[in-house]
Amino acid sequence: MRSNLSRLLAGVALAAAACSGSKLSIKDPAKMAAESAALAKKLADVAKEAEEKAKPCDNLETRGIVWSEERAIGGSIAIGMVQKAKGAMFVDNLPSTDPDALKKDVDAKKKVELPSSPKNDLALEVAIIGRNLASYSARPEIAWTFGVIDDPSVNGYSAPGGYVLVTTGLLRLVENEAQLAGVLAHEIGHVANRHALKTYGKIKAMQCKVAVRGGVYLERGVLDQAPAELKKAAEFGSFFSKSVEGDGVLDLDGAGASAKLVAYITDGFIDFFVSTGLAKPDELDADKTAFELMTFAGYDPGELSKFVNKIPDSGGAFAHHPSNKERTDALTAVRADYAGFADNGKVPPLSDVFKVLAAPTPAEAPAAAAPGAAAAPPAGCPAKIPAGFVCIAQKQGGVVLAGPHADLSGADLAGANLAGADLSGANLSGVELKGADLRGTNLKGANLSLANLAGAVWGNTTCPDGTDSDDNGGSCQANP
């Protein structure tokens, strides 16, 4: 014991001796202030240089977009939309389920043969109808691609490059081929009139500025001092700089375009598009084009107005659309311009291949109506309500379809009876749920950010992840 204590004391003595023979390194306050001032000046100079180098990015918004770039970014956006819809393509026996691998096959013009099956026959029918309509558009020559997403929400998507997608939930609302033609023609109108490309140009310019500025911080060795968004995009600065210095074309299929870069551009577009949507004049313009394409193809364009009146009125996935009344009024005005020419259109029944939609698909909830739903749906609800969904009247008018993974953002469901409804994975961001009955409601995975839940009735509610529920009547509260 004494031996160990001696060693300890000896060690302390040696340490003390070592310290007494050396000087502690304490920076002079004046020197520290000078270094801090120098760093501040350097960062100010770098910020000024970054802003100057990023100015040419503004030109990307107005420069034309060549077909190769449009097709490349459109394909990536279409894949991103499928992934965001949380569904899968409604087809059988794909050689690969990897979207990126399939895109490579398409870009390489590799022939993919799918066997006849109920799903594949439906997808083919949608493509045939869509391509026929597109042949009358202002861009008949591009490689139009049509597809069906196995997703119960009611929605349709289009992306630059001729990509058009519709959900199984939307197809279930369609009563005849003319209504389907109207939906497809509306999305074709967005592509033919280059509506999304205008948005893409703005996004590309904004992303260029961020990346180029971040690249300057990286080159000057002060990236650790840069704002977070610049750090994230700094590695793409040189790619954007070369594009700006050249013809402004982003070669997204070239050697310099990494998968990470394409994902950066695509995610930026999708996030912006989901939060803001297309401009309302663009939506009305797409309706006008749809009317014209339906007329040219021999369909009764009046079926488009009938379908518009069946979908949710400017809520959920249609939050950025004009109201249904605005749309139908505009279509009535277009019909007046085509007096006599649009009066003899046909309303063909749906092909038998659509019978595959009569049964719920794996992506959808059971066909039984949600417990607590009204026996008779409110006025304005579609004749066919997708399996697992309930039709709810909004306080400000119109109806919404509520169900798993539904996008109900911004909807007014104050006082609604949602007891027992399956809203798992639904987007309820900003939804008015004051006084709503949420007893027994499945909200697992739902987004309730900014939702007004004041006075909502709770009990046996399955709450979103990260929250606690009180089965005896409490609410879904965030975990401490």
Side-chain angles (χ1 to χ4, degrees):
M1 179 71 178
R2 175 173 291 184
S3 175
N4 290 337
L5 180 60
S6 298
R7 290 195 190 96
L8 176 62
L9 292 173
V12 171
L14 286 171
C19 288
S20 65
S22 63
K23 295 181 179 179
L24 293 176
S25 178
I26 301 177
K27 284 191 175 182
D28 177 48
K31 185 177 180 181
M32 291 176 64
E35 290 176 352
S36 178
L39 177 60
K41 183 179 184 306
K42 182 176 182 179
L43 290 177
D45 290 342
V46 170
K48 185 177 180 180
E49 180 187 356
E51 289 295 333
E52 196 63 30
K53 283 195 172 182
K55 283 182 179 179
C57 290
D58 287 328
N59 296 329
L60 292 182
E61 184 173 344
T62 55
R63 281 184 182 176
I65 297 170
V66 299
W67 168 248
S68 59
E69 182 182 350
E70 179 185 352
R71 183 69 175 176
I73 192 63
S76 296
I77 291 169
I79 291 170
M81 289 295 190
V82 173
Q83 293 170 336
K84 209 166 189 66
K86 300 179 181 178
M89 296 308 295
F90 193 69
V91 290
D92 287 324
N93 300 106
L94 274 176
S96 171
T97 56
D98 178 13
D100 294 323
L102 289 171
K103 181 178 181 297
K104 288 179 181 177
D105 288 343
V106 171
D107 291 342
K109 298 183 179 179
K110 182 178 178 181
K111 189 175 182 180
V112 178
E113 293 186 2
L114 298 176
S116 177
S117 75
K119 285 185 179 181
N120 293 346
D121 292 347
L122 172 63
L124 177 61
E125 181 74 7
V126 169
I128 290 172
I129 295 171
R131 286 174 183 168
N132 177 51
L133 289 160
S135 70
Y136 295 95
S137 75
R139 305 182 72 187
E141 77 290 348
I142 68 175
W144 290 93
T145 302
F146 295 84
V148 179
I149 305 176
D150 189 2
D151 176 14
S153 66
V154 179
N155 217 336
Y157 308 93
S158 60
Y163 293 94
V164 175
L165 303 167
V166 291
T167 63
T168 50
L170 183 145
L171 292 179
R172 281 194 170 87
L173 292 185
V174 170
E175 295 180 356
N176 54 61
E177 187 178 309
Q179 290 185 6
L180 173 58
V183 170
L184 296 176
H186 175 91
E187 300 302 336
I188 291 170
H190 282 311
V191 177
N193 299 331
R194 293 176 167 83
H195 293 150
L197 281 183
K198 291 187 294 183
T199 299
Y200 171 62
K202 293 177 183 178
I203 299 301
K204 186 166 67 168
M206 288 190 294
Q207 290 179 317
C208 175
K209 288 180 181 178
V210 173
V212 170
R213 287 166 57 206
V216 172
Y217 277 81
L218 179 63
E219 291 171 4
R220 299 294 174 261
V222 289
L223 185 60
D224 60 324
Q225 302 291 325
E229 66 170 350
L230 302 193
K231 290 179 183 178
K232 180 181 176 183
E235 63 184 289
F236 312 129
S238 61
F239 179 86
F240 278 102
S241 291
K242 289 176 183 176
S243 299
V244 171
E245 291 166 3
D247 55 11
V249 174
L250 298 190
D251 184 8
L252 299 178
D253 289 325
S258 65
K260 194 173 179 182
L261 168 67
V262 175
Y264 169 70
I265 297 173
T266 301
D267 291 346
F269 177 92
I270 293 176
D271 290 345
F272 183 89
F273 183 79
V274 169
S275 63
T276 65
L278 291 171
K280 288 189 176 183
D282 288 344
E283 294 294 348
L284 295 176
D285 189 35
D287 277 346
K288 181 176 183 292
T289 298
F291 184 100
E292 294 169 347
L293 297 182
M294 292 177 71
T295 301
F296 298 154
Y299 294 107
D300 177 2
E303 290 299 309
L304 176 57
S305 294
K306 291 181 181 178
F307 185 80
V308 166
N309 282 323
K310 293 166 59 176
I311 61 178
D313 192 2
S314 300
F318 303 92
H320 307 298
H321 283 61
S323 69
N324 289 353
K325 185 177 186 307
E326 286 180 273
R327 296 180 67 184
T328 53
D329 285 350
L331 286 168
T332 299
V334 173
R335 191 175 194 106
D337 294 336
Y338 283 81
F341 187 65
D343 295 338
N344 299 314
K346 306 298 182 184
V347 185
L350 288 171
S351 164
D352 286 345
V353 300
F354 284 84
K355 290 181 179 178
V356 68
L357 296 174
T361 64
E364 297 177 330
C381 290
K384 296 180 187 176
I385 297 177
F389 278 61
V390 290
C391 186
I392 306 293
Q394 298 186 95
K395 286 289 185 182
Q396 81 273 26
V399 297
V400 295
L401 293 176
H405 300 296
D407 183 358
L408 301 171
S409 54
D412 184 356
L413 303 181
N417 177 13
L418 292 168
D422 182 5
L423 298 179
S424 56
N427 180 12
L428 300 170
S429 175
V431 173
E432 178 62 62
L433 288 167
K434 183 177 181 180
D437 189 346
L438 299 174
R439 289 174 294 184
T441 304
N442 181 8
L443 295 172
K444 184 174 179 60
N447 176 14
L448 287 170
S449 62
L450 303 179
N452 182 9
L453 298 165
V457 182
W458 306 85
N460 295 312
T461 305
T462 303
C463 292
D465 298 334
T467 63
D468 288 323
S469 63
D470 181 350
D471 289 344
N472 295 317
S475 61
C476 293
Q477 300 289 349
N479 287 329

